[in-house]
Amino acid sequence: MASIRRPSFLILLALAPAPLHGYAVIKEVARLSDDKTRLAAGTLYAALDRLSDEGLVQVDREETVDGRLRRYYRLTDPGIAALAAEAEQMRRDARMVTRRLSAARPVGAPRPA
């Protein structure tokens, strides 16, 4: 499976606990990323459409609030599996980085004889 792009990963992560509507996804992605990732509405809905086409998310329900349609999205079983697989890949990558950094010699240290 190909790696999930960061915004899509954060969208899936935002939806992991429970279905959310679009604006709630935007706010949760910002919170999860410490405001480093801020999704515009157009970007979010394009990503949700793509994730839906890939079978990773689906519409959970729709409701009307103050005369506006609010669509809630949720993870599908394949979406849960993709998120779990991406998390496992991140764990493997972090272990690899940790091993390589522990083997790195400090800058300016003499070379072994």
Side-chain angles (χ1 to χ4, degrees), residues 23-88:
Y23 182 68
V25 172
I26 288 171
K27 291 189 65 85
E28 184 65 3
V29 164
R31 187 188 73 74
L32 290 167
S33 69
D34 292 325
D35 286 326
K36 289 179 180 68
T37 301
R38 293 182 160 252
L39 299 174
T43 302
L44 171 68
Y45 289 107
L48 286 169
D49 286 345
R50 185 178 41 73
L51 292 168
S52 180
D53 289 346
E54 293 171 4
L56 303 180
V57 302
Q58 68 183 36
V59 173
D60 182 68
R61 67 186 184 281
E62 295 177 339
E63 59 185 38
T64 302
V65 177
D66 296 328
R68 297 184 66 174
L69 182 66
R70 184 177 283 177
R71 183 172 289 151
Y72 287 76
Y73 296 86
R74 69 174 183 84
L75 289 182
T76 60
D77 289 342
I80 293 167
L83 185 58
E86 188 68 13
E88 180 55 35

